[in-house]
Amino acid sequence: MALPMVPFSSVIFHSFNCTSLPVPFTSHFVRRLPCHCSLSSHPFSHSLRYVHQQLLLPWGRQPPRTRICASITDVSVDVAVEEKRLPKGETWSVHKFGGTCVGNSSRIKNVADIIINDNSERKFVVVSAMSKVTDMMYDLIHKAQSRTESYVSALDAVLEKHSSTAHDLLAGEDLSTFLSQLHQDISNLKAMLQAIYIAGHATESFTDFVVGHGELWSAQILSLVIKKRGIDCKWMDAREVLVVNPTRSNQVDPDYWESERKLEEWYSLNPSDVIIATGFIASTRQNIPTTLKRDGSDFSAAIMGALFKARQITIWTDVDGVYSADPRKVGDAVILKTLSYQEAWEMSYFGANVLHPRTITPVIQYGIPIIIRNIFNLSSPGTMICHPSIIGDEDRLIFKNYVKGFATIDNLALVNVEGTGMAGVPGTASAIFAAVKDVGANVIMISQASSEHSVCFAVPEKEVKAVAEVLQSLFHGALDAGRLSQVAIVPNCSILAAVGQKMASTPGVCATLFDALAKANINVRAVAQGCSEYNITVVVKREDSIKALRAVHSRFYLSKTTIAMGIIGPGLIGSTLLDQLRDQAAILKAELNIELRVMGIMGSKLMLLDDDTGINLGKWRELREEKGEVANLEKFVQNVHGNHFIPNTVLVDCTADSFIASNYADWLRKGIHVITPNKKANSGPLNEYLRLRVLQRQSYTHYFYEATVGAGLPIISTLRGLLETGDRILQIEGIFSGTLSYIFNNFKDGRLFSEVVAEARDAGYTEPDPREDLSGTDVARKVIILARESGLKLELSDIPVENLVPESLRLSASAEEFMQQLPKFNQELTEKLKDAESAEEVLRYVGVVDVRNSKGVVELRRYKKDHPFAQVTGSDNMIAFTTRRYKNQPLIVRGPGAGAQVTAGGIFNDILRLASYLGAPS
């Protein structure tokens, strides 16, 4: 709408009584209005008169008789009222209800029930505006000063919201009285907004006055609902009582002495045992309306609680209490029964959704507990914030309770000022932070080495450019002269804070924190800890923020050690493993606090992915058929590892594929743990094996492969245990193939070799093509793995292998053709069997690692019938360790060395070992 340029006399400012105008408003209004018209002739004269009457005169010189005010009870009456003294102390309980709690008529009824059912002798209730109303009021200001006429319809929406609520809750005179005042307030606000529309600008005083109406209306409605239930109740416009001193933008300090005086004066005229007061709004010492800024209603309740010296303050919200971490980021966060004031303050500062840090300050002096409760779950006791001295024994018994909670702040940047010229030079830090203050940047964290060589601090990322520019300018000379080496910016950072009052007296908290981060492969960029030790603050990459939070929370809270898993190769062994995981999941959660989430299953053609709670292992086969997609290893790994809600990732390779094994190094480098029965990586080129072992140590990742040698038998772990305790390996000799164990255990008493092989194939002991077993290659791979674990640097080609497949059959077209031709070659093995039996010996196909002579061999050997290898039955494996300690009588490990169940069990055991290393109880 075009503004009319009509004559407008400067005498308007005399009629406005400019001595009572807020200074910011005066300067802006003078600049923006035409100066050659009269007040009465201007088309917005009603708006301007209302600005004069409503905002200015009530806070300066008053007209002799009446004034307009957004209140239904503020009427001056010359009647003598008997003054009543304000009682203070534990008879009062304070309640604060946020906007969600009074969001609609049914919720307002619920609030009234809670107040009435509270058995406290006296109750003081602070209410916020109805849900979203404060945002709507700010939007009105924005639209008006942007000269957008839609502020009119937006104001109508505000009217409709409160009018419909009043019709739902009130009736008769109460309804008509409230609606009359509501319409008057809306009319006056429209005039105010028209004035802002003319000026194209709203001062802070105007803004505070407009947005405070939401609390005025919700307090009046609630008080009338309680009165309707037969309870004597008064409502309080907190601007008449609560006095604050603005200190800087977005912050005010309560004037407790003046507020207490005004409270006693107000109560003497309005005595009641139930008082409903507006939150968020207050007045300055000059009687100018203002607000306590965002989250101000909590602050209002704390200030009033301190003025009344109340028994307790209950903050009603929509969560069950204060969580140990943000439950949106940490699914297993727990409700804290108690927090000390200091712990609550620290968590609030670092972004936890507890209270505004300033809310806690007023109550500390009087030791008034603050209780955070859920209005939608009255059965939950909530969280009590109080002095440590009254924290109950139940909390004291929680294991590792020295860390109460964790919080994060994202979107930060680190600024590092570094140089040898800083050491021992007074005033450097002062100059740095004075410059930062001058550009209005907020320093979140400071870290300085004792050598004074550098100062590092974190600021919001949106402010770092200005900080960098001012520091570059300030230290231009020092940088050119070399006294400072750099002013460096590290973007994309987050802060993780661990908070707990008992951390001050508990050794090892830092060690536990950093160990958890290291095991989750999180790099720490900066650290800060005050001497009070109430918090430890670390800076990490922003992309690692949630992952770091999950890792440390799991470590300190004995919450479920959650591991994201990807299963590659759902064949016989892989599918058996998935079934074992399914059957054991509930027990692992209940008894060991371990949660294994299978986020992906990939076969050679299809893969099934999940990016939330994990695949339902009871239906994975059906889900793969319904939702499976074309297998893509890169996408599979990204899906499993890219979930930052889960701190640890493991890929389980159940294949025998060389290509899959070639990716292990890259996975370990990315912080992904690897578990496998696949022998290809450890028996491949020696340099690749050595690289894997180095990467494993450097990256704090784990690479477990117990099942590569003995399926479910503890062969690798036994060997490592001997070496790590200082024993010296002399020789490892064993029956490593369950298939060949079965064949030679049954190749006796005149039976033919081809007959026994066919029997083993029919029973499922061999591969579909038995040549894979008879060639001895699988045994050779196990031998080379044990040789390398023992310290020998051998290649697979260095191991001589006795191949049991006749040379002429090694290139047969098919397994069936091989089986048909095999009987023609029985004679050679039959003769070897007869020779052994005549010498009271048996035949066994074995692998040998001769550590003393740095060699290995795979061959068919003869053993006396009293030898341990002669006692093996079925498909059992047997491995004998001859060492310096076990020289005369080798250490023997015996058991099933093949089969899906035992191999899957060996893999499962490696998974649980990983969980134990990552912090699960063992």
Side-chain angles (χ1 to χ4, degrees), residues 234-421:
K234 297 288 196 306
W235 86 274
M236 172 194 289
D237 180 347
R239 295 175 301 183
E240 299 175 8
V241 172
L242 190 51
V243 180
V244 296
N245 297 314
T247 55
R248 61 176 185 267
S249 179
N250 290 322
Q251 189 162 316
V252 294
D253 286 337
D255 185 331
Y256 288 100
W257 184 89
E258 183 65 15
S259 297
E260 185 173 25
R261 185 188 67 79
K262 288 200 167 194
L263 175 61
E264 290 175 349
E265 180 181 315
W266 184 94
Y267 189 84
S268 69
L269 299 174
N270 303 277
S272 179
D273 290 340
V274 180
I275 300 172
I276 311 298
T278 57
F280 184 56
I281 58 177
S283 297
T284 67
R285 289 183 66 89
Q286 293 75 36
N287 283 336
I288 296 175
T290 188
T291 69
L292 302 182
K293 315 310 173 188
R294 285 291 187 179
D295 297 311
S297 292
D298 287 353
F299 198 15
S300 298
I303 296 168
M304 288 300 186
L307 293 176
F308 279 99
K309 297 182 176 59
R311 175 173 55 86
Q312 68 180 34
I313 299 169
T314 303
I315 306 291
W316 293 91
T317 180
D318 56 0
V319 293
D320 286 342
V322 181
Y323 283 87
S324 53
D326 187 339
R328 295 168 298 181
K329 299 176 181 178
V330 181
D332 51 357
V334 300
I335 297 292
L336 301 173
K337 291 183 174 62
T338 58
L339 280 173
S340 71
Y341 293 124
Q342 187 68 33
E343 288 167 339
W345 190 92
E346 294 278 359
M347 290 186 70
S348 299
Y349 176 79
F350 286 105
N353 187 21
V354 184
L355 295 168
H356 191 279
R358 301 201 75 204
T359 303
I360 300 163
T361 307
V363 302
I364 294 178
Q365 178 183 354
Y366 302 104
I368 301 170
I370 300 176
I371 301 173
I372 312 295
R373 292 195 63 188
N374 188 349
I375 194 168
F376 306 115
N377 182 15
L378 299 181
S379 63
S380 174
T383 300
M384 176 184 286
I385 300 171
C386 56
H387 276 310
S389 59
I390 61 173
I391 290 178
D393 291 336
E394 184 177 1
D395 254 15
R396 299 179 195 278
L397 297 176
I398 296 177
F399 181 61
K400 290 187 176 179
N401 197 43
Y402 40 77
V403 175
K404 276 293 187 71
F406 302 90
T408 57
I409 303 177
D410 295 323
N411 302 316
L412 301 177
L414 277 180
V415 182
N416 187 41
V417 183
E418 184 178 317
T420 55

Side-chain angles (χ1 to χ4, degrees), residues 352-650:
N353 187 21
V354 184
L355 295 168
H356 191 279
R358 301 201 75 204
T359 303
I360 300 163
T361 307
V363 302
I364 294 178
Q365 178 183 354
Y366 302 104
I368 301 170
I370 300 176
I371 301 173
I372 312 295
R373 292 195 63 188
N374 188 349
I375 194 168
F376 306 115
N377 182 15
L378 299 181
S379 63
S380 174
T383 300
M384 176 184 286
I385 300 171
C386 56
H387 276 310
S389 59
I390 61 173
I391 290 178
D393 291 336
E394 184 177 1
D395 254 15
R396 299 179 195 278
L397 297 176
I398 296 177
F399 181 61
K400 290 187 176 179
N401 197 43
Y402 40 77
V403 175
K404 276 293 187 71
F406 302 90
T408 57
I409 303 177
D410 295 323
N411 302 316
L412 301 177
L414 277 180
V415 182
N416 187 41
V417 183
E418 184 178 317
T420 55
M422 293 174 59
V425 179
T428 303
S430 173
I432 291 171
F433 293 113
V436 173
K437 174 180 177 293
D438 288 343
V439 296
N442 181 29
V443 176
I444 308 295
M445 186 206 81
I446 303 171
S447 178
Q448 180 176 13
S450 58
S451 66
E452 302 181 40
H453 177 68
S454 67
V455 174
C456 173
F457 56 95
V459 297
E461 203 154 40
K462 63 184 180 181
E463 299 172 357
V464 72
K465 183 179 179 182
V467 170
E469 289 174 353
V470 74
L471 292 179
Q472 291 282 358
S473 175
L474 176 65
F475 294 113
H476 175 74
L479 288 165
D480 288 346
R483 296 193 304 277
L484 290 184
S485 58
Q486 64 174 345
V487 176
I489 305 300
V490 183
N492 301 320
C493 294
S494 292
I495 278 179
L496 167 66
V499 174
Q501 193 153 340
K502 294 181 184 178
M503 287 162 51
S505 57
T506 307
V509 177
C510 277
T512 305
L513 178 77
F514 290 117
D515 184 59
L517 292 171
K519 287 182 175 178
N521 202 39
I522 304 293
N523 183 45
V524 175
R525 292 181 162 181
V527 183
Q529 180 178 18
C531 60
S532 67
E533 296 187 65
Y534 286 141
N535 84 73
I536 301 170
T537 305
V538 299
V539 179
V540 299
K541 293 179 183 177
R542 183 166 58 202
E543 64 195 55
D544 289 336
S545 172
I546 295 175
K547 184 178 178 183
L549 181 62
R550 291 290 299 257
V552 297
H553 185 274
S554 176
R555 187 60 173 274
F556 279 94
Y557 259 87
L558 280 181
S559 58
K560 297 179 286 291
T561 301
T562 307
I563 302 175
M565 298 177 61
I567 308 296
I568 303 173
L572 181 60
I573 292 172
S575 60
T576 304
L577 173 63
L578 287 165
D579 292 342
Q580 291 180 355
L581 291 169
R582 174 201 63 206
D583 296 341
Q584 199 67 8
I587 295 174
L588 291 176
K589 272 189 182 183
E591 297 185 3
L592 297 176
N593 292 308
I594 296 171
E595 183 174 359
L596 304 175
R597 295 187 186 179
V598 177
M599 311 303 291
I601 301 171
M602 189 179 84
S604 58
K605 296 180 180 179
L606 290 177
M607 65 180 181
L608 176 64
L609 304 178
D610 186 279
D611 57 5
D612 188 14
T613 58
I615 295 168
N616 181 348
L617 297 185
K619 301 171 60 177
W620 72 266
R621 292 174 177 86
E622 296 89 337
L623 290 170
R624 184 178 60 167
E625 293 302 318
E626 294 172 12
K627 301 180 180 179
E629 53 188 279
V630 176
N632 181 307
L633 183 61
E634 184 178 352
K635 182 178 179 181
F636 178 84
V637 173
Q638 175 59 34
N639 183 81
V640 176
H641 182 54
N643 192 329
H644 289 170
F645 285 80
I646 302 177
N648 307 295
T649 305
V650 61

Side-chain angles (χ1 to χ4, degrees), residues 23-133:
V23 173
F25 173 76
T26 304
S27 60
H28 286 287
F29 209 73
V30 168
R31 284 204 307 270
R32 294 175 185 272
L33 286 179
C35 56
H36 298 292
C37 73
S38 68
L39 176 60
S40 58
S41 66
H42 193 272
F44 292 110
S45 58
H46 171 69
S47 307
L48 302 177
R49 284 197 188 93
Y50 176 66
V51 172
H52 179 210
Q53 294 173 320
Q54 179 63 24
L55 187 63
L56 310 181
L57 291 179
W59 314 110
R61 290 176 292 188
Q62 303 287 331
R65 292 180 203 163
T66 62
R67 62 186 175 96
I68 302 173
C69 181
S71 163
I72 65 170
T73 62
D74 192 5
V75 179
S76 301
V77 181
D78 294 328
V79 178
V81 178
E82 181 183 354
E83 294 190 1
K84 187 169 183 179
R85 189 172 183 81
L86 172 66
K88 295 181 181 180
E90 296 206 348
T91 60
W92 288 98
S93 66
V94 175
H95 296 265
K96 179 265 174 176
F97 295 94
T100 305
C101 301
V102 292
N104 55 44
S105 54
S106 64
R107 291 181 181 178
I108 292 174
K109 287 180 183 178
N110 188 33
V111 168
D113 290 338
I114 291 172
I115 295 168
I116 292 168
N117 293 331
D118 178 9
N119 58 10
S120 301
E121 185 177 343
R122 298 182 175 92
K123 290 159 275 195
F124 187 89
V125 180
V126 176
V127 292
S128 299
M130 293 178 68
S131 180
K132 306 299 182 184
V133 167

